[in-house]
Amino acid sequence: MQDIEITQDENLAIDALIVRHQRTPGALLPLLHAIQDNIGFVPESIYPKIAKALALSVAEVHGVVTFYHHFRTHKAGEHVVQICRAESCQAMGSEALEAHAKKCLGVDYHQTTADGQITLEPVYCLGNCALSPSVMVDDEIYGRVSSAELDALIAEARR
Amino acid sequence: MVTQVYIPRDSSALSVGAEKVASAIAAEAKRRGLEVQIIRNGSRGLYWLETMVEVATENGRVAYAPVKPSDIASLFEADFLNGKSHALCLGLTENLAWLKQQQRLTFARVGVIDPVSLEDYIAHDGYLGLTNALKLSGAEIVKTVTDSGLRGRGGAAFPTGIKWNTVLGCEAEQKYIVCNADEGDSGTYSDRMIMEGDPYVLIEGMTIAGVAVGATQGYIYLRSEYPHALATLNEAIANAEKAGYLGENILGSGKTFNLEVRRAAGAYVCGEETSLLESLEGKRGLVRFKPPLPAIEGLFGKPTVVNNVISLATVPIILDKGAQYYADYGMGRSRGTLPIQLAGNIKHGGLVELAFGATLRELLYDFGGGSASGRPIRAVQVGGPLGAFLPESQFDTPLDYEAFTQIWAVLGHGGIVAFDDTVDMAKMARYAFEFCAVESCGKCTPCRIGSTRGVEVIDKIISSKGKPEHAKTIQLVRDLSDTMLNGSLCALGGMTPYPVLSALNHFPQDFGLPATAEAGKA
Ligand SMILES: NC(=O)c1ccc[n+]([C@@H]2O[C@H](COP(=O)([O-])OP(=O)(O)OC[C@H]3O[C@@H](n4cnc5c(N)ncnc54)[C@H](O)[C@@H]3O)[C@@H](O)[C@H]2O)c1
Ligand SMILES: Cc1cc2nc3c(=O)[nH]c(=O)nc-3n(C[C@H](O)[C@H](O)[C@H](O)COP(=O)(O)O)c2cc1C
Ligand code: SF4
């Protein structure tokens, strides 16, 4: 288990979020979302703190974090690029787009570029299936994306 | 005079530049000293024409599409603010054939109104259903929903009224209404369009459900891939609370209904209702054994209605216009309308709401305009990743739950994904297993192990083409599918054989078999 340092500020933010969510029914997912929204990931070092606040075991917290594709235990790059791999996008050439992205960025899925800028992730449907193939950069979806357009999106994100 | 200009805020419209179009129009109007009021509506569902800009004129709304930021100057030059002609002008929106040929009941307001404006919602017949429901007993509301013939639009097509009746009949100090907004199926986006384009209709439907069965708390379990839907829903819920449509003593009735959105976290299996409930309780999304049904022991062990977005969003019009009005649409045991989503390799992709009974061919060609690539459509997958692939010979099947069951296919959530003749169906079968392996919750062996084995077997089929062991590998995939069909706890493992076997049976040549082999056999 790799230990990841978090700053004092991040620690304080996490404490505040725990207090805010502690009494919510089924608090764990909302809390994990809040933490990831705030600091970008859910470090393993805070599992004990979460477990204690929600009266769970550390193993239960670990089990939940790892069950869901959305939660990450390591910091992502500055930007996350998700490429849709689902059927509708496949029908419109997403495989070529995936290959192009991996080649240009020099990374595979779940990896971050050497400059720490872009993390590449697969995604299974963005609900943009009438305008396939689709890509999501951070919180924005793009439709009918060609390789050239993907290059432009990545360049813009890097700027 | 202030001119009203409609520019969608729907995520698909945003995905092709609606935001840039909106700011360009605002900037150009300002530069020219013209007063415009920009209203961010949902999408009309003609996605190949996004960004569609509409201008309100005295004759009605005039559409211009597809608009790019580079078109803005010429639109102003042509005086589009007065509905004047331009190369992109499509005339009155209401006269567009694509919309005119539809029967929009659930989607009546989507694209028409400002989604977060409660006044707009009410001005377009919003909250008439709830107003009627508040005059009825719970049993009478449930009977109306049952009589309408509405069946679960999430895919399993279980009668909604009968489900509600089970919850109504349970004695409990707490009951819940849970909206399944996980919309995991590729090729589907109707739930998203409702949440982004008419969120109050979902809120109203859930409130009616709560009043009917005696539930005071509702949750919308929303997939994390839908940030815009999240923002729209939260804004609408806050407005509804402020205006007394949610919370305590709704419209002075003494009834309480609170509503909260919960974000999912990217697990397909959490769309399965019991996995969803586990997730809402803050746990891993492991599928529960049924029985007990969620209707009897659901969220936190309490009686719970779990319904899809479209099922719930259809309830208001049923309570407004009556059960018979809705039941008059449709065919056989499939009553009412289905919001169909055209996707994949299709020229005119978008939302088509029609009474049950239209054929796939009408949808693919009359509405869809054929493939986007211009090549022949070779296969369509209906009903998401767990749905069967259909060859051209089955394109005359009517959209009807029973008609699809008869040909060993599923209508599901109404998504239709088209593939042209460049598709490799063995690859699609492999993908179906791969998807199941990635998304399996791991609780039962046929799914957890079977899916990974399936990928290997398809690889063997491909690599052994023309060799003696080929026949054995084909038998292997059939046996494996049999095990998954019969031995899986939920439909993720249990339905993965649909895409796999339909691909094999209808497109045997892609698996190295003669073209005629076992065609049509399930
Ligand atoms: N929309 C999507 O994104 C998506 C994704 C994957 C699968 N699906 C669909 O899901 C379907 C399978 O769903 P399922 O496993 O929930 O089906 P199911 O047949 O087990 O259940 C259907 C619904 O009816 C309820 N029900 C059954 N009997 C009842 C009774 N007597 N009283 C009250 N309620 C009762 C169930 O609780 C459930 O809500 C598939 O057919 C597939 O099409 C949809
Ligand atoms: C693997 C799997 C995924 C599912 N995903 C969804 C989904 O995303 N949305 C949905 O409404 N139903 C989904 N369902 C169906 C639900 O289990 C359930 O039948 C539905 O929410 C009931 O609502 P309805 O009766 O209104 O359709 C899924 C089922 C399975 C087996
Ligand atoms: S079939 Fe798959 S997803 Fe469903 S319960 Fe079994 S392991 Fe879990």
Side-chain angles (χ1 to χ4, degrees):
Chain A
M1 205 191 275
Q2 194 187 336
D3 221 23
I4 292 152
E5 298 277 329
I6 50 175
T7 66
Q8 191 55 33
D9 280 356
E10 287 173 337
N11 241 321
L12 287 174
I14 291 166
D15 289 342
L17 292 171
I18 288 176
V19 170
R20 185 172 336 142
H21 287 276
Q22 209 163 14
R23 268 169 245 299
T24 315
L28 188 51
L29 259 79
L31 176 59
L32 294 176
H33 270 299
I35 292 170
Q36 182 157 309
D37 286 350
N38 199 288
I39 70 166
F41 68 123
V42 183
E44 292 181 23
S45 58
I46 65 167
Y47 292 176
K49 187 154 50 175
I50 295 175
K52 186 156 172 249
L54 302 186
L56 300 167
S57 71
V58 173
E60 281 170 308
V61 176
H62 178 264
V64 168
V65 174
T66 51
F67 182 85
Y68 296 97
H69 303 303
H70 178 80
F71 298 123
R72 51 176 80 253
T73 51
H74 294 79
K75 259 203 170 83
E78 284 295 309
H79 303 282
V80 178
V81 174
Q82 294 177 290
I83 301 190
C84 181
R85 291 200 62 207
E87 291 89 341
S88 177
C89 287
Q90 288 181 41
M92 289 302 282
S94 62
E95 278 197 349
L97 203 59
E98 288 178 74
H100 177 80
K102 288 180 183 173
K103 189 164 145 246
C104 293
L105 295 172
V107 296
D108 205 339
Y109 279 135
H110 313 298
Q111 294 179 346
T112 302
T113 53
D115 63 358
Q117 283 286 312
I118 312 277
T119 299
L120 188 66
E121 297 283 355
V123 63
Y124 296 87
C125 198
L126 293 165
N128 195 34
C129 320
L131 295 171
S132 293
S134 302
V135 166
M136 194 157 180
V137 182
D138 300 328
D139 252 3
E140 287 306 320
I141 299 176
Y142 299 88
R144 289 262 198 272
V145 179
S146 63
S147 296
E149 274 157 337
L150 182 62
D151 289 343
L153 288 174
I154 290 171
E156 195 179 322
R158 274 202 158 120
R159 210 173 301 136
Chain B
M1 200 193 71
V2 186
T3 313
Q4 292 183 324
V5 180
Y6 291 81
I7 307 167
R9 56 188 276 165
D10 170 281
S11 356
S12 275
L14 296 176
S15 86
V16 288
E19 200 57 51
K20 287 195 175 117
V21 169
S23 40
I25 288 181
E28 186 66 16
K30 196 167 170 209
R31 202 177 67 79
R32 292 172 182 253
L34 297 168
E35 276 202 83
V36 295
Q37 180 198 356
I38 294 180
I39 298 164
R40 304 304 299 271
N41 54 337
S43 172
R44 296 273 194 168
L46 298 81
Y47 279 129
W48 77 99
L49 289 177
E50 292 294 359
T51 302
M52 182 187 282
V53 175
E54 292 174 82
V55 178
T57 73
E58 53 190 23
N59 298 324
R61 275 154 70 167
V62 176
Y64 298 83
V67 175
K68 297 201 171 41
S70 55
D71 300 318
I72 305 302
S74 74
L75 281 167
F76 275 90
E77 278 311 307
D79 195 16
F80 85 119
L81 290 181
N82 282 304
K84 294 291 163 54
S85 70
H86 180 277
L88 297 177
C89 183
L90 302 174
L92 292 175
T93 314
E94 61 189 48
N95 287 344
L96 290 171
W98 214 78
L99 282 174
K100 250 188 150 162
Q101 287 159 13
Q102 301 193 25
Q103 284 124 5
R104 289 203 167 184
L105 304 185
T106 311
F107 275 73
R109 277 174 295 261
V110 175
V112 177
I113 62 166
D114 174 349
V116 290
S117 160
L118 194 50
E119 299 83 72
D120 221 2
Y121 181 66
I122 290 165
H124 287 81
D125 297 344
Y127 278 120
L128 294 181
L130 178 64
T131 308
N132 287 341
L134 288 173
K135 293 180 209 139
L136 302 175
S137 69
E140 285 168 327
I141 301 172
V142 170
K143 184 172 184 311
T144 306
V145 174
T146 307
D147 290 347
S148 76
L150 177 66
R151 291 162 72 180
R153 298 288 187 251
F158 187 83
T160 305
I162 296 179
K163 190 188 294 189
W164 289 19
N165 201 45
T166 308
V167 179
L168 175 66
C170 291
E171 287 287 339
E173 79 282 9
Q174 178 72 61
K175 298 178 185 179
Y176 296 101
I177 308 296
V178 170
C179 171
N180 189 340
D182 203 40
E183 195 161 63
D185 283 2
S186 172
T188 68
Y189 45 80
S190 59
D191 296 351
R192 178 184 62 68
M193 284 183 75
I194 285 286
M195 294 185 284
E196 292 178 351
D198 193 12
Y200 294 113
V201 82
L202 174 59
I203 296 170
E204 183 182 351
M206 291 185 73
T207 310
I208 294 171
V211 170
V213 304
T216 53
Q217 177 66 46
Y219 291 101
I220 300 174
Y221 185 82
L222 176 70
R223 69 196 313 246
S224 56
E225 293 84 351
Y226 284 177
H228 295 292
L230 175 68
T232 308
L233 282 171
N234 278 334
E235 192 177 341
I237 288 171
N239 289 342
E241 277 169 358
K242 236 178 287 156
Y245 287 94
L246 280 176
E248 279 170 28
N249 195 20
I250 291 167
L251 299 182
S253 65
K255 305 266 202 267
T256 297
F257 190 69
N258 293 303
L259 185 54
E260 191 185 323
V261 185
R262 285 289 175 89
R263 282 158 77 191
Y268 178 78
V269 73
C270 286
E272 193 282 335
E273 57 179 7
T274 64
S275 164
L276 186 160
L277 295 173
E278 289 288 302
S279 183
L280 267 182
E281 290 180 9
K283 304 177 193 151
R284 290 185 293 156
L286 293 185
V287 171
R288 297 178 185 170
F289 289 97
K290 289 196 281 192
L293 287 166
I296 294 163
E297 283 181 40
L299 186 61
F300 302 115
K302 299 288 186 277
T304 303
V305 168
V306 182
N307 270 137
N308 172 255
V309 173
I310 302 293
S311 313
L312 290 163
T314 303
V315 167
I317 193 167
I318 293 170
L319 266 295
D320 172 15
K321 303 240 161 114
Q324 196 55 45
Y325 174 85
Y326 191 72
D328 280 345
Y329 292 87
M331 73 173 275
R333 288 178 47 221
S334 305
R335 307 314 312 171
T337 58
L338 180 68
I340 298 141
Q341 302 121 88
L342 295 177
N345 198 328
I346 193 91
K347 193 165 166 199
H348 299 159
L351 192 285
V352 183
E353 182 176 351
L354 286 178
F356 286 92
T359 67
L360 265 179
R361 197 179 297 280
E362 288 169 63
L363 282 151
L364 291 171
Y365 295 99
D366 299 352
F367 284 96
S371 73
S373 61
R375 305 180 66 95
I377 297 179
R378 181 164 181 242
V380 298
Q381 188 177 28
V382 185
L386 308 176
F389 287 100
L390 282 69
E392 218 250 311
S393 61
Q394 295 184 328
F395 286 1
D396 292 312
T397 310
L399 295 177
D400 162 57
Y401 293 117
E402 280 64 42
F404 267 65
T405 307
Q406 262 176 29
I407 59 165
W408 208 68
V410 276
L411 199 43
H413 190 44
I416 301 179
V417 180
F419 295 83
D420 73 11
D421 61 352
T422 59
V423 68
D424 175 349
M425 296 306 296
K427 215 154 122 191
M428 297 316 297
R430 184 189 193 279
Y431 174 82
F433 277 130
E434 188 191 345
F435 180 75
C436 181
V438 173
E439 299 297 341
S440 169
C441 85
K443 186 150 173 171
C444 61
T445 333
C447 168
R448 189 183 66 236
I449 311 285
S451 52
T452 306
R453 287 280 291 131
V455 174
E456 296 162 11
V457 175
I458 301 279
D459 283 341
K460 266 193 212 137
I461 290 180
I462 295 169
S463 65
S464 69
K465 274 185 196 172
K467 294 184 193 154
E469 65 269 30
H470 188 248
K472 224 171 67 191
T473 58
I474 297 279
Q475 195 49 48
L476 218 53
V477 84
R478 289 194 183 280
D479 292 346
L480 185 62
S481 295
D482 235 36
T483 308
M484 291 178 72
L485 265 170
N486 300 312
S488 299
L489 182 57
C490 87
L492 178 49
M495 285 176 65
T496 293
Y498 276 72
V500 171
L501 291 184
S502 58
L504 176 61
N505 292 334
H506 298 306
F507 306 93
Q509 60 279 37
D510 291 20
F511 295 79
L513 294 169
T516 51
E518 311 212 42
K521 188 192 144 189

